Amino acid sequence: MSPKKPLPGASGPTTLGPRMARAEVRHSTPFVLFNALFMMAGSAVAAWALLPVYDSMRYVLVAGAAILGGAAVAVLCDRLRWGASRVALLTALVYIVVGLTLAVPGALTSVSEIADAALDLLRGPVTGWKDIVTLPLPLGDYGTTLVPVLALFLVGTTTSTWLAIRARRLWPLAALTAAALVIIAIAIGPAVRADALAWAPFGVYASREFLVGIAAFAVLLSWFGWRAWYTRRQAIASAFGAGGVQLAKSSHASRLAAASAALAMVVVGVVAAVLVTAPIAESTPREVVRSSLDPRLVVESKVSPLSSYREYFADDAFAATLFTVNVEDGDPERVRLATLPYFDGEEFSAADPEGSAVARFQRVPSHVEVEGDTEDVTATVSIGAQSGIWVPIVGELGSLDFQGARKATLVDGFYYLADADAGVMVVDDGLLSGDAYRVNGERPSEMPSLTEIGTPPGVPTISPELIPDSLHEWVTRQDTSADAAGLAELVRRLRVRGYLSHSIESSTDGETPAWQRALGEYSFASSASGHSFDRIDRLFQQLNEREGEVGNADEDLLVSGVGDDEQFATAVAMLASDMGFPSRVVIGARLTNTDAQGFAAPPCEAGVCRGENMSVWTEVQSDKGAWVPIDVTPQHATPVSPDVANQRDPQYASALDPQRAEPIVPPVTQRGQSDDDKPEAQELTTGWQWVGPALRIAGITLLGLLILLGPFLAILIWKLARRNRRRRGEARDVVYQGWDEYLDDAVDSGLPPLPRATRTEVAREYGTQNAVALASLTDRVTFGNVAVDDATADEYWTLVAADRSELLARKSWWGRVKMRLSLRSMWSAVQSNGAPQAKSADSKAPQRWKSGAGMRSEHSLVTASHRRRTSAQSRHTHKRKKKS
């Protein structure tokens, strides 16, 4: 009857006696220092990856102090044999000292600053990440943005170094900790990929991010290699140092060959990875945490403010106070609500459809630097009936201070796009009645006129495919120059030949709308809303048809294009872009009368901006980078000629809302189609068309299963290959390898490895049915020169298979699965004393020895020369081994 097996990990008395107790291992100082250096190198790679986010010397000092301090804490506590609690205490002390001296600028200037800095150090690691991923880059040493970095590198370096030095079984987690630092640094890094390295060989695309990845891989791989070498050397010393056996050293040539092979494998792997990933990285946008900011999602989810422009002229909003601008300093001419640089053929929007990191709203630090010759503008904006995400801003924003009860909420929800001078509020429902803020901005000291913007730079912002042919036809009829003066003349003619109309109906509830009454003597003409490609195409078709009817006649006879600021701002933006000028559309209001022709909406009276004051204008960029505003509102004094007025847009056309729009197949009478056009040939369907999709689905499913189950299949195949390899060779070696197989099965089943026990002690401790027989036969083969034939070796392995089945039978279904997939035997092999070659005193024949029955290689290799020894020599060798 086999003895009862104790539970793995259970405490209490053991049959192995006190000599089997694990002694505490105290590593040497070089071992500790080398591990600390490797972990510091891994943290330094992560700090290098995060350098573009800050781009300041203070960041380098903070990161360096955190890395050095974390490693020093781990090394000091190890040398003094202090526990984890003291490690945490010293880490907190380093965090406070470095935080007050480096991470928080000006923290030691006064007692109150010290108190505020201490509060920032307390909450910074929790709340500071939002500033890092939302503020525009580089951060420099702004505010407390260095506090999370200090906590990250200090805690990460301390943890990785402590695990590398002190963890007996879980020391590989140190590499995971170092890798996690690199991953976090990449995740919170810049959203714009670094420029390609000009010195990359063979024209391969490689950037700074490639170097970060290669450096991290090299550091961790080098650490694992050094750790494996050190563990092997320690295993050799432990196994043979006390036995008086001289170790056989490998030749320099063999060591050089092994090192060269390892280096070649690494180089080939890195080169292959670069060649494979370079095309993917070059064509794939960089996605990090700051790439998916809420402002962009909020802006994209809203209907374009230009599409809803006519809502300002409804009776309830026309006279309502939207917001009030109280100018304190400077003389601003306009207040900007939304800037829309991007046109996709349906609408103008503020969000780049390609998701460019340059066109992304970001949080505002204490101040935004404004370049150029400017003058200060200061104003207080109070919100009335205006609500939504768009924030009225005066001039180019320098700083913005919110006021009122919702100050903290508004500060967290405000995002700004510096390239467009536009801001959005993404919290709750945006700005609400009663909100107020103070704007400190800048405006150009001198604004050039449209005729002074120079020659077109040839950088259009609207794709040529999105500009209708009718616009080109109209421009050709005008016979103007293709420069700023020609653009100014085209804008003048467009406004004079257009006619203002905010609605498709002439009345609401039987009463004249407020916007019509405000225009005085006004002859109503219907106008469809929207500013899509088709809507602008119809606008220029009206102009071309009328000019084709009357020729180059009086301007009053050429009035035909009906619309308002929505359509005419889009038309002017297309005209400018077609000439090669960058252009964009802006929604806002005028604080002073800037329209020389007098067609635009009236300016805000005493800073009070109502619906009637809202307007749209186009901005064109000069050759020096300045954005010049162009008023685009058409005239309303000269009505449309009756011949053209009869060709109205549909009486009940629907307003465009791209969120709810549905595609409609146009009839063949539309432009570009005719009844003569032959329909496209329809692909004939056959009964085998399902084969392709079915095979594709099956392939994708099989690939997914291989990805999910591949690691587990690899473990099973590896174990099967190891078992088959051990069953081959000479019969005596097959017996030794069978004992190794039994030990591996036992360790994988959850039994503890016993590196210092004899085979008989191991057999009694594990308690399987055939364990004692296996141990006895292995000892007799090892020390008794017992002849072994193939039949005996096969019988031996039969007993091994029976004990494996017994170990499996002890487990539940899930336990059997875990045993078959367990890699504990592999880790036990890495942590064992190894299987080095030894050279005995009386023979030069190589032998592989084990100082105990639980080690991970063959227990003895009796070579041909050893088998020819006499029994007396064998007994002498036996006694010496037992003594060792």
Side-chain angles (χ1 to χ4, degrees):
M1 181 176 180
S2 60
K4 184 177 180 181
K5 179 181 72 67
L7 293 175
S11 59
T14 176
T15 61
L16 301 179
R19 71 184 181 87
M20 300 300 298
R22 294 179 180 175
E24 180 182 357
V25 178
R26 180 171 174 80
H27 294 292
S28 63
T29 300
F31 173 84
V32 173
L33 293 180
F34 269 102
N35 278 283
L37 289 176
F38 275 113
M39 294 302 105
M40 290 170 60
S43 299
V45 173
W48 180 39
L50 203 57
L51 180 60
V53 174
Y54 291 90
D55 195 19
S56 69
M57 182 55 63
R58 185 181 290 271
Y59 164 77
V60 176
L61 296 176
V62 170
I67 294 172
L68 290 174
V73 167
V75 172
L76 178 63
C77 291
D78 175 76
R79 295 293 88 186
L80 297 178
R81 298 192 178 186
W82 287 354
S85 59
R86 295 190 180 185
V87 173
L89 183 61
L90 279 180
T91 303
L93 181 61
V94 174
Y95 175 72
I96 294 173
V97 173
V98 178
L100 292 178
T101 56
L102 292 176
V104 182
L108 301 179
T109 56
S110 64
V111 177
S112 60
E113 290 293 336
I114 293 177
D116 293 339
L119 182 60
D120 292 333
L121 290 176
L122 183 63
R123 65 187 180 185
V126 179
T127 62
W129 301 103
K130 182 177 182 181
D131 291 334
I132 294 178
V133 300
T134 55
L135 289 172
L137 303 182
L139 299 178
D141 55 358
Y142 168 69
T144 59
T145 54
L146 288 171
V147 173
V149 171
L150 170 61
L152 174 67
F153 290 123
L154 179 60
V155 175
T157 307
T158 304
T159 303
S160 61
T161 307
W162 183 256
L163 288 172
I165 296 173
R166 297 296 294 270
R168 299 189 61 181
R169 296 180 179 274
L170 301 180
W171 59 266
L173 292 180
L176 294 181
T177 304
L181 290 179
V182 178
I183 293 173
I184 293 174
I186 295 173
I188 63 177
V192 180
R193 184 180 290 107
D195 295 335
L197 301 176
W199 48 265
F202 308 111
V204 176
Y205 174 82
S207 63
R208 182 177 177 276
E209 291 79 9
F210 277 73
L211 298 183
V212 170
I214 293 174
F217 172 73
V219 169
L220 296 181
L221 182 64
S222 300
W223 179 65
F224 273 112
W226 173 83
R227 187 80 183 226
W229 172 84
Y230 183 87
T231 302
R232 182 177 183 276
R233 298 299 300 175
Q234 290 298 104
I236 293 173
S238 176
F240 298 100
V245 180
Q246 184 180 359
L247 302 179
K249 296 183 178 180
S250 58
S251 64
H252 292 289
S254 63
R255 291 199 298 268
L256 180 60
S260 301
L263 181 61
M265 290 177 60
V266 173
V267 171
V268 170
V270 171
V271 172
V274 171
L275 292 178
V276 171
T277 59
I280 300 176
E282 186 177 10
S283 59
T284 304
R286 180 177 171 86
E287 293 292 337
V288 293
V289 175
R290 66 181 68 247
S291 301
S292 56
L293 293 178
D294 289 340
R296 181 167 175 260
L297 300 178
V298 171
V299 171
E300 289 180 343
S301 64
K302 299 293 183 180
V303 176
S304 170
L306 186 58
S307 297
S308 58
Y309 168 70
R310 292 190 176 185
E311 295 178 2
Y312 292 117
F313 298 92
D315 288 349
D316 55 348
F318 188 77
T321 300
L322 304 180
F323 51 87
T324 302
V325 180
N326 183 16
V327 178
E328 303 175 10
D329 186 21
D331 187 22
E333 296 179 350
R334 304 169 190 258
V335 54
R336 181 188 307 265
L337 187 64
T339 302
L340 311 174
Y342 304 104
F343 183 69
D344 60 3
E346 293 294 334
E347 62 181 10
F348 268 97
S349 63
D352 184 2
E354 297 182 357
S356 171
V358 178
R360 182 168 290 114
F361 288 86
Q362 296 176 315
R363 295 189 66 200
V364 178
S366 59
H367 185 80
V368 178
E369 295 295 334
V370 178
E371 299 179 356
D373 185 14
T374 60
E375 59 184 32
D376 295 338
V377 175
T378 304
T380 300
V381 180
S382 302
I383 304 301
Q386 166 70 23
S387 62
I389 67 172
W390 301 101
V391 179
I393 294 178
V394 178
E396 300 180 38
L397 182 64
S399 63
L400 191 145
D401 301 321
F402 287 97
Q403 305 169 1
R406 296 209 312 155
K407 177 178 179 180
T409 302
L410 297 178
V411 168
D412 288 339
F414 178 69
Y415 289 79
Y416 182 68
L417 180 58
D419 291 340
D421 303 325
V424 294
M425 182 63 59
V426 301
V427 297
D428 299 331
D429 296 325
L431 292 175
L432 302 176
S433 179
D435 292 336
Y437 51 91
R438 192 168 186 263
V439 179
N440 297 304
E442 304 285 339
R443 65 181 297 268
S445 299
E446 295 183 2
M447 178 63 70
S449 64
L450 178 57
T451 57
E452 299 172 347
I453 63 175
T455 58
V459 187
T461 52
I462 300 178
S463 175
E465 292 79 9
L466 301 180
I467 298 178
D469 294 336
S470 57
L471 181 147
H472 297 143
E473 180 183 350
W474 185 78
V475 171
T476 302
R477 289 175 180 270
Q478 308 314 307
D479 192 21
T480 57
S481 58
D483 54 11
L487 177 61
E489 178 61 20
L490 290 177
V491 172
R492 187 197 68 81
R493 296 181 185 180
L494 181 65
R495 299 182 66 189
V496 171
R497 301 176 186 182
Y499 190 69
L500 178 63
S501 177
H502 292 301
S503 175
I504 61 174
E505 297 181 0
S506 60
S507 64
T508 57
D509 297 333
E511 297 183 2
T512 302
W515 69 267
Q516 292 190 38
R517 297 196 301 268
L519 295 178
E521 297 182 1
Y522 175 78
S523 177
F524 176 78
S526 65
S527 169
S529 63
H531 56 280
S532 64
F533 174 94
D534 291 336
R535 179 64 181 88
I536 305 304
D537 185 24
R538 293 199 301 270
L539 174 67
F540 280 100
Q541 284 181 14
Q542 292 175 340
L543 294 172
N544 289 329
E545 290 173 0
R546 186 56 178 162
E547 190 166 351
E549 292 175 359
V550 301
N552 190 12
D554 184 38
E555 294 280 9
D556 292 346
L557 297 178
L558 294 174
V559 175
S560 55
V562 183
D564 58 8
D565 297 22
E566 177 185 1
Q567 291 79 41
F568 280 80
T570 303
V572 172
M574 288 182 175
L575 288 172
S577 184
D578 190 52
M579 282 189 177
F581 288 102
S583 60
R584 63 190 186 186
V585 173
V586 181
I587 301 175
R590 296 172 180 81
L591 299 179
T592 60
N593 190 2
T594 60
D595 184 10
Q597 292 183 279
F599 298 158
C604 302
E605 184 177 355
V608 179
C609 298
R610 301 179 174 86
E612 63 176 321
N613 306 122
M614 298 304 295
S615 182
V616 182
W617 61 86
T618 303
E619 290 185 345
V620 176
Q621 193 173 34
S622 68
D623 54 356
K624 297 181 179 180
W627 287 95
V628 179
I630 304 175
D631 294 313
V632 298
T633 309
Q635 59 84 29
H636 59 272
T638 303
V640 180
S641 172
D643 293 338
V644 181
N646 291 332
Q647 303 176 9
R648 296 184 176 183
D649 290 306
Q651 183 72 13
Y652 298 101
S654 300
L656 177 63
D657 186 347
Q659 301 298 326
R660 297 184 294 271
E662 296 180 359
I664 300 176
V665 179
V668 296
T669 56
Q670 292 291 333
R671 180 174 59 89
Q673 294 185 356
S674 67
D675 292 331
D676 297 333
D677 295 336
K678 296 182 180 180
E680 297 181 359
Q682 300 294 325
E683 184 179 356
L684 297 178
T685 59
T686 65
W688 294 95
Q689 281 194 338
W690 60 271
V691 175
L695 292 177
R696 185 164 53 252
I697 295 174
I700 294 174
T701 304
L702 181 59
L703 179 60
L705 291 176
L706 288 177
I707 294 175
L708 292 176
L709 302 179
F712 307 108
L713 293 176
I715 294 173
L716 295 176
I717 294 173
W718 172 71
K719 287 190 174 184
L720 180 61
R722 183 182 65 179
R723 187 177 303 124
N724 292 334
R725 186 187 72 248
R726 286 174 172 175
R727 296 199 64 169
R728 294 193 299 267
E730 295 185 7
R732 184 180 296 271
D733 294 338
V734 171
V735 171
Y736 302 145
Q737 294 166 1
W739 178 255
D740 283 344
E741 183 70 18
Y742 171 75
L743 293 176
D744 287 338
D745 290 338
V747 172
D748 285 339
S749 70
L751 295 175
L754 304 174
R756 298 181 183 275
T758 64
R759 294 188 183 94
T760 303
E761 288 173 334
V762 171
R764 291 173 180 173
E765 187 71 14
Y766 289 169
T768 55
Q769 182 178 0
N770 304 307
V772 175
L774 293 172
S776 176
L777 178 57
T778 307
D779 285 339
R780 286 189 288 112
V781 171
T782 303
F783 305 115
N785 269 342
V786 176
V788 181
D789 54 13
D790 293 339
T792 304
D794 292 340
E795 182 181 356
Y796 188 96
W797 272 85
T798 302
L799 298 179
V800 172
D803 280 12
R804 184 190 310 114
S805 300
E806 181 181 346
L807 291 172
L808 288 169
R810 294 178 181 180
K811 303 290 183 180
S812 63
W813 176 86
W814 178 242
R816 291 193 294 272
V817 173
K818 291 174 62 178
M819 176 178 170
R820 288 190 173 95
L821 298 176
S822 174
L823 294 176
R824 293 184 70 223
S825 60
M826 183 183 70
W827 286 113
S828 179
V830 174
Q831 295 170 347
S832 68
N833 291 334
Q837 291 184 348
K839 185 166 58 180
S840 64
D842 59 343
S843 175
K844 296 182 179 180
Q847 302 174 6
R848 287 196 287 265
W849 296 85
K850 299 180 76 80
S851 63
M855 293 186 176
R856 291 297 95 200
S857 69
E858 297 138 344
H859 301 274
S860 170
L861 176 59
V862 184
T863 60
S865 61
H866 181 72
R867 288 195 296 268
R868 288 194 296 267
R869 294 176 185 172
T870 64
S871 59
Q873 289 175 322
S874 185
R875 286 195 299 272
H876 176 70
T877 306
H878 180 189
K879 292 179 180 180
R880 187 181 62 188
K881 290 180 180 177
K882 291 189 65 178
K883 186 176 179 179
S884 64

